[in-house]
Amino acid sequence: MGGQRQVLPGKVYQTVTTLMNHRIWPTVKVQQPVWYKVVESIPPAEMLIRPFPPQHKKPNPRTRRPSRLFQPQQLVYEEDELRRTFYRDHPWELARPRMIIEMDGKDAQRYDWSKGLIQPGMPLCGESVVQRQMWMMYNVPGVTKEQAYDIVRREFYALRQEEEVERRIAKEEAQMVGAYFGKNFLQVGIELEDAQYERWKKWAGKQISAVQTEQSQAYTTFGDEEADVENVDFEEMMEELAAEEVPVRK
């Protein structure tokens, strides 16, 4: 089974190449699939035997079971730990809109993190803090990871404060010339929260009333039962029981 060759996956690239070269309209340019260059550089394997994945770090036989030997190793970068630290301390930064559009895919090469957190074409976000911290760790002598994070964090707070001040001034200037602003996200959220709380209060009141009614009904006949017991004629009951008694055989 392991010596068999599987040639069908390799023909996908040849078939697509043939279709692209023999077009019905020669003047019309056909766009290459996104996987075309990848399959050209890394063609699919023809053997059915599963190859051993590349090892990015020395495996530990004590923690890695043999059943997971052919699973690819997890890629871990140094920036991942810095991102976890920043977003753990600032979780609301994840709620801000992010712009992920790039011009030519080389925007990161034009960023110069030695000049600060503000970069051309990139809004201020947590990734700015991570990249600025990485630059300080490897370019500023005597600065540890914690010190670099503290310095960059203070720069980030100052820039966020400037943005908030500019936003407030722009809003006041617009209101002075007659602009009208609706409720912000915080006010809308508070109103929705209050409405949900009021609905819960009504539901809780009905539940409490139902429980109280059930408890009161469980003891409503207690006094009547005592009155019935007091009015019972025991002599009449004894006569009825004696009349219904079965005679004993001699």
Side-chain angles (χ1 to χ4, degrees):
M1 189 68 180
Q4 295 181 359
R5 301 174 64 89
Q6 192 175 7
V7 297
L8 292 179
K11 291 184 178 181
V12 175
Y13 173 77
Q14 300 175 2
T15 305
V16 173
T17 304
T18 304
L19 293 174
M20 294 174 60
N21 294 333
H22 299 80
R23 301 189 295 269
I24 299 176
W25 303 97
T27 57
V28 179
K29 184 178 180 181
V30 180
Q31 185 179 4
Q32 293 181 356
V34 293
W35 50 265
Y36 187 79
K37 292 295 183 181
V38 179
V39 175
E40 181 182 6
S41 57
I42 309 175
E46 298 180 358
M47 303 300 294
L48 297 179
I49 300 176
R50 185 165 46 177
F52 191 68
Q55 303 297 305
H56 305 285
K57 59 182 179 180
K58 187 177 180 180
N60 189 357
R62 296 183 179 179
T63 59
R64 195 171 189 184
R65 293 180 293 179
S67 60
R68 299 182 179 179
L69 185 64
F70 293 97
Q71 292 183 356
Q73 290 184 339
Q74 185 179 4
L75 297 178
V76 180
Y77 296 94
E78 189 175 3
E79 295 90 336
D80 297 338
E81 183 180 358
L82 304 181
R83 292 189 185 98
R84 284 193 295 269
T85 302
F86 175 79
Y87 288 112
R88 185 181 65 246
D89 298 339
H90 311 83
W92 283 104
E93 285 295 323
L94 294 172
R96 292 181 179 272
R98 289 288 305 275
M99 185 182 67
I100 57 176
I101 300 176
E102 296 183 354
M103 301 301 295
D104 54 358
K106 300 180 181 179
D107 296 357
Q109 300 178 5
R110 292 188 286 270
Y111 297 154
D112 186 5
W113 298 107
S114 62
K115 297 181 179 179
L117 295 174
I118 301 299
Q119 298 296 327
M122 180 178 181
L124 184 63
C125 60
E127 189 64 23
S128 305
V129 177
V130 172
Q131 297 299 328
R132 171 72 170 168
Q133 182 182 0
M134 283 284 296
W135 181 88
M136 295 189 68
M137 289 167 55
Y138 288 98
N139 293 276
V140 179
V143 175
T144 61
K145 180 176 67 175
E146 291 76 14
Q147 293 175 351
Y149 177 66
D150 189 60
I151 295 172
V152 178
R153 182 170 54 87
R154 295 179 184 277
E155 296 177 359
F156 178 76
Y157 293 161
L159 293 174
R160 279 283 187 239
Q161 186 176 7
E162 290 181 6
E163 290 182 354
E164 184 64 24
V165 172
E166 291 177 358
R167 190 180 299 110
R168 290 182 180 179
I169 293 176
K171 181 178 180 180
E172 292 176 359
E173 291 178 349
Q175 289 177 343
M176 289 295 295
V177 295
Y180 174 79
F181 295 92
K183 300 175 182 178
N184 55 25
F185 293 103
L186 184 61
Q187 294 174 345
V188 173
I190 291 176
E191 290 184 357
L192 294 175
E193 222 176 285
D194 293 340
Q196 185 65 27
Y197 178 68
E198 293 297 331
R199 285 195 294 269
W200 177 85
K201 283 174 61 177
K202 293 180 180 178
W203 174 83
K206 293 180 180 178
Q207 295 294 322
I208 293 174
S209 301
V211 172
Q212 290 177 351
T213 304
E214 184 179 357
Q215 290 178 352
S216 61
Q217 289 177 355
Y219 299 99
T220 50
T221 59
F222 185 75
D224 298 339
E225 290 178 357
E226 287 185 349
D228 295 340
V229 172
E230 293 178 356
N231 298 328
V232 170
D233 190 353
F234 290 98
E235 295 181 357
E236 186 178 354
M237 288 179 61
M238 292 299 292
E239 293 177 358
E240 292 177 358
L241 291 174
E244 295 176 359
E245 200 172 20
V246 180
V248 181
R249 293 182 181 180
K250 297 182 180 180

